[in-house]
Amino acid sequence: MITVHSTPTQSPLSDPNAASPRSAVPPFAVIPGAQVQQTLQGQERRITELIEDTYHLHAAGQSVNPPSYFLRFPDRPTARIIALPASIGGQARVDGLKWISSFPDNVQAGLPRASAVLILNDHDTGYPFACLESSIISATRTAAMAASAARTLSQGRGTRPARVGFFGTGLIARYIHTFLAATGWSFDEIGVHDISADSAAGFQSYLQGSGTSARLTVHDSPEELIRSSDLLVFATIADRPHITDPAWFDHNPLVLHVSLRDLAPEILLASTNIVDDVEHCLKADTSPHLAEQLTGSREFLAGTLYDVTAGRVALPQDRPVVFSPFGLGVLDLAVGKHVYDEAARTGQLQVIDGFFHELRRYG
């Protein structure tokens, strides 16, 4: 039976100071996508701050974020499912796992490419206490991460981009634009490019309905988009580099390399490179990983986004600056725990009674 708590309650799991007896089994809740979206709607600034706080916790060693595990299929080479286990301290104080699939062929069938769930585990007992629809959480934390990087790196360079270009125009691009607009960004020009004309047209239609006053241009070629943009957002499903000419970046743009595999190593080697986590980014044949393999060194990395925030890395104006974020599981945990806490606070948790059944050791 599913029980919806309709009166405001304070879950013991949402209070880091509350005693949690190890003998107490937490109730198990399911939070569907509509409730996730409703909770996060209009919270762009708050979520961006939450992502920045989580990066700080990670940099301070108050997290556990092991390597992601990639499940691949010989009969479906373009598809994958990724497991991102993580643990975070601070106010969140939660463990968990994001299980996210990427099936590009879904798009042709009219389905979203990615689907995901997030499992939250109780800090004290290890029991899972919530399952959340997580494609929205994943897109939200990615967009917040991009908006934070755009602000931090622009301030670090002492410049404010006026022309943004979106290379790849799916769900992630829409979320990133929403977060940029909600956190104070406005642009004179917005450029769009996608290998699918229908996707580019759909994104252009979204932009027209978003209230932007920017001049909108759909570019036929990647080079046109790149050369005409001060801020570039790569949000594709590329599995290997397809942008190879460093000369296209001679105007020294700020690049949010969110999809991680678009840029040839030669472009990174001609740029100042910032990542969110060194060990995670240098895996799985990402562009930074390929650059490391090419050079046999990590010296092309200037540091992490937190290093920039802490003033440990100076950003030049006479080179492109490329931010390549792997996207850490702790970010999903932080956003997911925020959604859970809000549902508990407003009494809207959908609890499945009796989910854990065999609780007596000897029957």
Side-chain angles (χ1 to χ4, degrees):
M1 177 181 295
I2 297 177
T3 303
V4 178
H5 296 299
S6 58
T7 57
T9 59
Q10 177 70 29
S11 166
L13 292 166
S14 64
D15 181 2
N17 298 313
S20 179
R22 288 191 176 273
S23 59
V25 175
F28 187 81
V30 174
I31 304 180
Q35 190 174 8
V36 172
Q37 186 174 57
Q38 182 181 19
T39 302
L40 296 175
Q41 194 87 31
Q43 297 295 309
E44 290 85 3
R45 289 183 181 272
R46 172 70 186 93
I47 299 304
T48 301
E49 293 173 354
L50 177 62
I51 292 300
E52 292 172 349
D53 291 344
T54 304
Y55 271 135
H56 293 175
L57 285 173
H58 181 66
Q62 296 188 51
S63 68
V64 181
N65 206 107
S68 302
Y69 181 81
F70 288 72
L71 177 62
R72 300 186 185 276
F73 314 96
D75 61 327
R76 292 158 287 168
T78 63
R80 65 190 183 194
I81 307 179
I82 310 174
L84 289 83
S87 176
I88 186 172
Q91 291 294 310
R93 198 168 171 267
V94 67
D95 313 322
L97 173 78
K98 180 170 79 167
W99 182 239
I100 182 166
S101 66
S102 174
F103 280 55
D105 290 347
N106 284 355
V107 176
Q108 296 179 0
L111 295 173
R113 171 187 61 85
S115 57
V117 294
L118 177 69
I119 300 295
L120 302 181
N121 292 74
D122 178 35
H123 176 277
D124 293 330
T125 66
Y127 271 81
F129 63 85
C131 176
L132 299 84
E133 195 287 328
S134 197
S135 66
I136 295 171
I137 290 173
S138 186
T140 296
R141 65 86 154 149
T142 299
M145 175 180 67
S148 174
R151 178 185 59 79
T152 299
L153 300 178
S154 294
Q155 290 178 349
R157 301 181 88 190
T159 61
R160 179 88 169 178
R163 304 173 301 165
V164 64
F166 288 89
F167 198 126
T169 55
L171 178 76
I172 298 300
R174 172 165 64 85
Y175 267 74
I176 290 175
H177 175 266
T178 298
F179 266 75
L180 288 172
T183 53
W185 285 86
S186 61
F187 300 98
D188 298 333
E189 301 177 22
I190 299 179
V192 174
H193 176 76
D194 198 291
I195 59 173
S196 165
D198 289 342
S199 294
F203 191 63
Q204 182 185 30
S205 178
Y206 151 74
L207 290 170
Q208 290 169 339
S210 70
T212 182
S213 60
R215 182 168 66 254
L216 306 179
T217 304
V218 176
H219 294 276
D220 294 330
S221 75
E223 182 178 1
E224 288 178 1
L225 176 79
I226 291 169
R227 289 189 180 275
S228 65
S229 303
D230 306 319
L231 173 65
L232 279 159
V233 178
F234 282 91
T236 74
I237 57 171
D239 61 357
R240 61 180 59 89
H242 55 99
I243 304 299
T244 61
D245 191 345
W248 293 2
F249 299 81
D250 282 347
H251 57 301
N252 303 318
L254 171 58
V255 182
L256 303 181
H257 189 205
V258 175
S259 36
L260 277 178
R261 294 174 177 84
D262 301 276
L263 304 180
E266 291 78 8
I267 293 173
L268 297 191
L269 297 178
S271 305
T272 297
N273 292 280
I274 304 296
V275 297
D276 60 347
D277 183 279
V278 173
E279 295 300 328
H280 283 78
C281 283
L282 297 181
K283 284 184 173 68
D285 289 332
T286 63
S287 294
H289 188 201
L290 296 179
E292 180 190 32
Q293 294 176 40
L294 180 65
T295 63
S297 168
R298 299 180 173 185
E299 292 182 1
F300 68 93
L301 294 180
T304 66
L305 187 63
Y306 182 75
D307 289 332
V308 177
T309 302
R312 293 195 289 261
V313 172
L315 301 177
Q317 296 185 16
D318 59 353
R319 285 166 64 90
V321 172
V322 179
F323 176 57
S324 298
F326 193 85
L328 305 176
V330 291
L331 305 181
D332 297 277
L333 279 189
V335 176
K337 185 58 163 44
H338 170 76
V339 171
Y340 176 89
D341 287 345
E342 284 299 297
R345 183 182 64 82
T346 58
Q348 297 302 310
L349 279 179
Q350 300 183 38
V351 174
I352 300 179
D353 292 331
F355 183 82
F356 297 107
H357 176 66
E358 187 67 89
L359 299 177
R360 295 181 181 273
R361 191 171 188 181
Y362 298 111

